[in-house]
Amino acid sequence: MPDYKLLTPGPLTTTDTVKKEMLFDHCTWDDDYKKITLWIREKLLELAHVSAPEYTVVLMQGSGTFGVESVITSVVGGEDTLLIAANGAYGERMEDIAGHAGIHYLTYHEDYNKIFSAEKIEQLLDEHPEITHVSLVHSETTSGILNDIAAVAKVVKAAGKTLIVDAMSSFGGVDIPVGELGIDFIISSANKCIQGVPGFSFIICRTDKLTESAGKARSLSLDLYDQWKTMNKDGKWRFTSPTHVVLAFAQAIRELEAEGGIPARAKRYEENNRLLIEKMAKMGIRPYITEHQGPIITTFYYPEHHNFSFQEMYQYIKDRGYAIYPGKVTDADTFRIGNIGEIYKEDILKVCGLMKDFLDGQDADSAKKHTEDEGCLCAD
Ligand SMILES: *Cc1c(COP(=O)(O)O)cnc(C)c1O
C-alpha cells in the first residue's frame, strides 16, 4: 500500500484514531446517531466563540464548495446584490457560483499577493447602495495569504450589510472570534483544520439571517434553511448523512480539544510554517507572499535552478513519504507546501531535507554533464 503524508491543504493527514472511527457502520435514524450530530453542532459553536440562540450550525453533505454554494444561493435573494472580494481562485469560485445561479453580483478583484483593502470595500459599499451582502475568503489557499477579516468586517457591519466568510482552510487552525466580528455566515469543511476526513461542510450562521432566508434557495439539496429546519429539530440530516465521516469528525473534535483547542493547534501550525519558510530560504527558495503570509500553506517560487522539474521533485519526495502540491497562482511558476493536519516539526525538517537532497542531486548531475561536455570539446 502506498504510504505518504499529505502536505496539501485538505484533505490532509489524519490520525489513525480518526480513521478507525470509520470502521463502524452507524445507523442514521436512531437517537445515538442524532445525538452525535447535535454534539458536533454545539462544539462548532464553541469553537467559533458564539452561542445559541443568536448563532446556529448547519452541516451540509458534500465538499467545501457545496457549503459555499449553499450559503450564496440560499441567502442572497432575487432582489439582493452580492459584493465578492476575490484575491485567488476560491474567491473567483464564488463569482462562478453566483453566475450559475443568476445572482446579481459585483467583484472587487485584488492582486493575488495582496490582502483586501477595507477602505476599498467601504468605498464600493458607498458607491453601490444596492449591495446587500459581502463575501470573501479568509485564508486564500491559492496563495496562502491570510486576509484581514477583522478590518473588512468592521466596514461591512458599519454599513449594515450581511457578511459571508469562506474560512474553509483557516477555521480550527486560526482562532476566529465570529461573534465579535459580527460574521453572519462562516463556512468550513470536515477535512481541513479540524482534521477530519472529506464528506461534509459546516456553516455557522446568525440565526436571524438564516431564518430570513426561508424560501429563497435556488436549489433543493443545497437549501441551507431547509437543511437546518430538519437538523435543528433533533439532529436528523435531511438526506442520507455521511455517517462514517460524521463519526470521524466527532473524534477529530475530541482530538482537537485534547491538543489544547484552537490556540494550541494554531501554535503548532504557525511553528510548522515558520520553520518551513526558514529552511526553504536556506536553500534559496523564496515564498510568493511577502506580507500577510498565513500559517496554513505557503506558495514558493521554483528554485532558480536550470533544469528544475516540479514533477520530478514531486515524485522524488512522494517516493520518500510526502505529497506536496502544485502551484495555483496565475502569474508565476510556483509550488505549494501545506503544513496543516497531523504534521509536526520532524515532518517539516524531513521534507526540507528531501528537497535539499533532490536539488543537490540535480546540481551533481548537471556538474557531471558539464564536465562530460567539456571532455567532448577537448577531444575535438
Ligand atoms: C478547500 C477550500 C475550499 C473548498 O474546496 P472543496 O474542494 O470543495 O472542498 C473553498 N475555499 C477554500 C479557501 C479552500 O481552501
Side-chain angles (χ1 to χ4, degrees):
M1 225 173 50
D3 194 14
Y4 50 74
K5 288 190 185 178
L6 296 170
L7 297 175
T8 57
L12 34 67
T13 296
T14 56
T15 60
D16 289 345
T17 38
V18 161
K19 286 187 275 278
K20 269 199 193 119
E21 287 292 309
M22 294 187 286
L23 294 174
F24 182 55
D25 304 308
H26 211 300
C27 158
T28 58
W29 64 266
D30 76 359
D31 284 343
D32 290 355
Y33 185 72
K34 291 190 284 196
K35 268 189 204 142
I36 299 171
T37 297
L38 291 175
W39 182 84
I40 288 174
R41 292 176 62 230
E42 276 169 28
K43 286 291 165 187
L44 289 172
L45 285 180
E46 274 177 37
L47 292 173
H49 307 287
V50 292
S51 46
E54 198 184 1
Y55 278 86
T56 188
V57 178
V58 187
L59 311 183
M60 182 62 76
Q61 293 93 332
S63 80
T65 305
F66 291 61
V68 178
E69 184 152 20
S70 167
V71 173
I72 291 179
T73 62
S74 297
V75 313
V76 186
E79 306 296 309
D80 296 336
T81 299
L82 172 67
L83 170 64
I84 300 168
N87 60 348
Y90 292 100
E92 287 160 14
R93 189 172 293 173
M94 291 181 178
E95 292 181 81
D96 222 3
I97 289 170
H100 273 264
I103 288 169
H104 302 292
Y105 73 96
L106 44 122
T107 314
Y108 154 37
H109 284 286
E110 188 48 272
D111 293 342
Y112 277 25
N113 60 356
K114 290 209 186 85
I115 59 167
F116 303 122
S117 147
E119 293 75 47
K120 178 85 198 180
I121 290 175
E122 191 173 28
Q123 190 190 330
L124 283 165
L125 292 177
D126 218 39
E127 288 166 7
H128 296 274
E130 73 275 20
I131 295 170
T132 49
H133 297 68
V134 177
S135 67
L136 77 161
V137 174
H138 183 209
S139 163
E140 188 35 278
T141 321
T142 308
S143 63
I145 203 165
L146 190 67
N147 286 305
D148 183 354
I149 46 171
V152 174
K154 208 168 157 194
V155 301
V156 172
K157 290 289 104 187
K161 314 295 180 186
T162 299
L163 181 58
I164 300 167
V165 176
D166 167 350
M168 208 69 66
S169 66
S170 54
F171 191 87
V174 175
D175 215 0
I176 307 172
V178 175
E180 210 175 285
L181 298 181
I183 298 170
D184 297 293
F185 297 92
I186 188 162
I187 309 142
S188 186
S189 72
N191 60 279
K192 303 243 175 165
C193 298
I194 308 271
Q195 298 190 182
V197 302
F200 69 86
S201 60
F202 55 86
I203 303 106
I204 297 152
C205 323
R206 274 280 307 239
T207 312
D208 54 352
K209 294 285 173 93
L210 176 65
T211 48
E212 265 171 37
S213 77
K216 289 186 186 162
R218 291 152 181 87
S219 149
L220 170 72
S221 50
L222 296 177
D223 187 328
L224 189 68
Y225 175 78
D226 238 35
Q227 179 88 347
W228 173 76
K229 225 175 63 185
T230 305
M231 187 172 276
N232 201 46
K233 258 184 246 149
D234 59 358
K236 172 129 178 41
W237 291 58
R238 203 172 35 143
F239 305 129
T240 296
S241 125
T243 47
H244 304 81
V245 181
V246 168
L247 297 179
F249 191 73
Q251 175 63 17
I253 290 180
R254 288 190 286 272
E255 292 181 15
L256 170 62
E257 288 182 336
E259 186 174 348
I262 295 175
R265 182 156 295 176
K267 185 160 174 279
R268 172 163 63 88
Y269 288 173
E270 277 163 25
E271 284 170 4
N272 283 348
N273 187 257
R274 206 174 308 124
L275 184 65
L276 173 69
I277 292 174
E278 181 193 309
K279 291 283 163 196
M280 294 291 269
K282 288 216 173 97
M283 288 182 256
I285 303 175
R286 293 179 301 123
Y288 170 80
I289 299 296
T290 49
E291 261 185 284
H292 306 288
Q293 166 66 51
I296 306 298
I297 185 168
T298 310
T299 296
F300 292 102
Y301 287 107
Y302 279 5
E304 283 149 16
H305 213 264
H306 19 257
N307 51 358
F308 175 78
S309 147
F310 173 75
Q311 203 47 46
E312 277 176 31
M313 183 173 78
Y314 172 77
Q315 196 60 47
Y316 181 91
I317 294 174
K318 185 176 146 198
D319 291 345
R320 289 157 184 80
Y322 292 93
I324 63 170
Y325 217 41
K328 199 171 181 157
V329 301
T330 48
D331 58 349
D333 278 336
T334 57
F335 62 95
R336 289 177 291 170
I337 299 186
N339 53 258
I340 57 176
E342 217 30 32
I343 296 297
Y344 296 85
K345 186 179 171 192
E346 314 77 89
D347 297 298
I348 301 295
L349 292 175
K350 247 191 224 160
V351 78
C352 291
L354 289 171
M355 199 158 292
K356 184 165 190 318
D357 292 347
F358 173 79
L359 295 174
D360 287 351
Q362 284 220 317
D363 284 344
D365 282 353
S366 69
K368 194 165 143 230
K369 186 161 182 300
H370 195 64
T371 326
E372 281 166 8
D373 289 350
E374 277 177 358
C376 285
L377 283 173
C378 292
D380 269 0

